[in-house]
Amino acid sequence: NVWFCNQINVIHRRCLYATVASVYLLGKYAQIKFREIQEREATEYIAQARRQFHFESNQRTCNMTVLSMLPALKEAIVTQLNSESLTTLLKSKPANKLEIWEDLKIISFTRTIVAVYSTCMLVVLLRVQLNIIGGYLYLDNSVGKSTTTLLAPPDVQQQYLSSIQHLLGDGLTELITVVKKAVQSSLGSVSLKETWSLLELEQQLNWIRAEVEASSRRSLSWYLLADDENVLADQACGLTDNDIMTIKLLNETRDMLDSPDFTTVLKACLNRGFSRLCDNLAEFFRPPPGDSAPSCGPDSLSAVSLPLAKIIPIINGQINTICSETPSHFVQELLMNDQVKEFAANVYETFSTPQELQK
């Protein structure tokens, strides 16, 4: 019996030792796993913070690029729609004064409406292009990248971003043609003596805009980027590796511009842009001090009326506010638009995510 009891005690001790050892090993394993999880979470957090910082920095670059491009856009518009030469002629009191006024009417409205369209297009196009480039640059500089091949080498970036010249060139020319036709259709027969309230002016702008967007043979995205494959190849200047990368970027951009999200964002910018234009024009329709007419509220939109001949110079000067390189309310509201920001984030997210994680 004593021997049997001793054996039982030995077995109990061995079981206890085994249990303690197992618990110890499990504890060590748990500590190691917990440390691995902490390190992985810390790495992911750092990567996410770095990605967010890069994204925000990229958006500031977008804003500065838009502002730096506005003088070139303004010059391109004014070159094709030169109202200044007409106003100079009018000062000389020519015999065909009425004819010149009629030309000035069409050109003034055309260039201001074109300025709204093209500035909105510039804002959204650069958001797409620079966030595609920004996403690829993030991947090119990522820690632990599996290949040394750059997705966006400097030469490719330069070639790709030069495609913005379509908006300042052929795209702008086509846009001017379409807008001018709509302006002529809406205002061609309107007398210079006819008076409009702010509300009536806003209605005229809305009608012209509706005709532009309804009668355009192409989607608005065509004005931003050439859609012909041969033109894209020409823009890429050949068939080197860099040129093939450039064509790939241009095709990815075209896909983005043809997406429903892009159409929604561009429309939101246009709505905001034309609304801000009307806000700017409202400053010229305020009743004089001491006038009993309402100065605010719905009735104020019809309280003051001006002859078209006085509205034309007001409209004509709006391009200086719309295409201002110093941040104006017009440009600032486009750059800070929530839908533009969200769209930019989605583009960046798409192109800064490794392909293996997208599958």
Side-chain angles (χ1 to χ4, degrees):
N1 288 338
V2 172
W3 178 86
F4 181 75
C5 289
N6 288 336
Q7 290 298 108
I8 292 296
N9 287 334
V10 169
I11 292 172
H12 282 166
R13 282 196 297 272
R14 286 177 178 172
C15 288
L16 180 60
Y17 293 153
T19 301
V20 170
S22 297
V23 170
Y24 174 77
L25 291 174
L26 283 173
K28 293 295 288 183
Y29 178 78
Q31 285 180 341
I32 293 170
K33 284 297 178 183
F34 182 67
R35 190 179 299 115
E36 288 177 356
I37 292 171
Q38 282 185 315
E39 289 174 353
R40 185 166 61 248
E41 288 179 346
T43 301
E44 290 174 355
Y45 175 79
I46 292 170
Q48 187 60 34
R50 178 174 170 272
R51 192 182 188 188
Q52 182 64 28
F53 177 81
H54 186 260
F55 169 73
E56 291 172 357
S57 174
N58 200 50
Q59 303 325 295
R60 290 191 291 273
T61 301
C62 287
N63 294 344
M64 290 187 291
T65 305
V66 168
L67 293 174
S68 70
M69 290 289 295
L70 286 175
L73 177 61
K74 178 183 174 181
E75 183 180 355
I77 296 171
V78 170
T79 298
Q80 296 198 53
L81 296 166
N82 188 350
S83 62
E84 284 70 24
S85 61
L86 297 178
T87 55
T88 301
L89 278 175
L90 286 173
K91 290 176 183 178
S92 65
K93 298 181 180 179
N96 60 340
K97 181 179 178 180
L98 183 59
E99 181 184 338
I100 295 173
W101 265 105
E102 289 294 331
D103 289 342
L104 184 60
K105 174 180 68 177
I106 301 303
I107 287 179
S108 296
F109 274 87
T110 300
R111 81 173 190 172
T112 293
I113 292 169
V114 166
V116 174
Y117 271 107
S118 55
T119 301
C120 291
M121 291 172 177
L122 181 69
V123 167
V124 186
L125 176 58
L126 284 173
R127 271 293 189 276
V128 172
Q129 288 191 304
L130 292 178
N131 278 293
I132 289 176
I133 288 290
Y136 281 146
L137 285 176
Y138 175 80
L139 292 178
D140 283 341
N141 292 286
S142 294
V143 177
K145 187 187 172 196
S146 58
T147 175
T148 57
T149 304
L150 295 178
L151 297 168
D155 289 347
V156 170
Q157 295 177 46
Q158 186 174 353
Q159 284 183 335
Y160 168 60
L161 293 174
S162 70
S163 64
I164 195 76
Q165 292 304 316
H166 178 78
L167 175 58
L168 303 180
D170 292 345
L172 183 66
T173 300
E174 180 70 15
L175 178 62
I176 287 172
T177 300
V178 172
V179 172
K180 192 172 185 179
K181 183 179 178 182
V183 170
Q184 185 70 51
S185 174
S186 295
L187 305 181
S189 60
V190 178
S191 169
L192 295 169
K193 296 179 181 179
E194 184 170 321
T195 59
W196 287 347
S197 65
L198 178 61
L199 180 61
E200 289 167 327
L201 175 56
E202 187 175 349
Q203 288 172 340
Q204 288 288 343
L205 292 172
N206 287 338
W207 289 337
I208 293 168
R209 182 185 168 189
E211 188 168 343
V212 167
E213 293 173 28
S215 64
S216 182
R217 300 190 303 274
R218 306 176 176 92
S219 68
L220 292 177
S221 65
W222 183 87
Y223 303 114
L224 284 73
L225 191 71
D227 59 356
D228 185 85
E229 290 182 4
N230 294 327
V231 174
L232 293 180
D234 290 343
Q235 288 178 349
C237 307
L239 293 174
T240 65
D241 288 344
N242 280 356
D243 298 333
I244 292 170
M245 289 183 188
T246 304
I247 293 175
K248 176 177 177 290
L249 288 172
L250 290 169
N251 287 333
E252 289 171 336
T253 304
R254 169 56 59 194
D255 290 341
M256 282 289 172
L257 300 189
D258 288 339
S259 70
D261 286 347
F262 176 84
T263 302
T264 299
V265 172
L266 179 57
K267 186 173 182 180
C269 282
L270 290 171
N271 290 342
R272 184 62 255 169
F274 278 100
S275 177
R276 169 46 65 179
L277 171 62
C278 290
D279 289 344
N280 292 346
L281 295 172
E283 297 298 319
F284 299 91
F285 284 81
R286 294 191 181 281
D291 196 301
S292 59
S295 59
C296 60
D299 292 340
S300 67
L301 297 177
S302 304
V304 176
S305 292
L306 298 175
L308 183 54
K310 286 193 174 181
I311 293 174
I312 289 171
I314 297 170
I315 286 285
N316 190 51
Q318 290 303 305
I319 191 170
N320 298 315
T321 301
I322 296 168
C323 297
S324 172
E325 60 183 311
T326 55
S328 63
H329 288 300
F330 185 94
V331 176
Q332 205 69 24
E333 288 182 17
L334 296 179
L335 296 177
M336 296 296 106
N337 184 285
D338 287 339
Q339 286 177 275
V340 172
K341 289 182 177 180
E342 183 179 350
F343 181 62
N346 290 338
V347 174
Y348 183 86
E349 175 77 19
T350 299
F351 291 93
S352 64
T353 302
Q355 288 188 351
E356 56 268 23
L357 297 181
Q358 294 181 20
K359 296 176 181 178

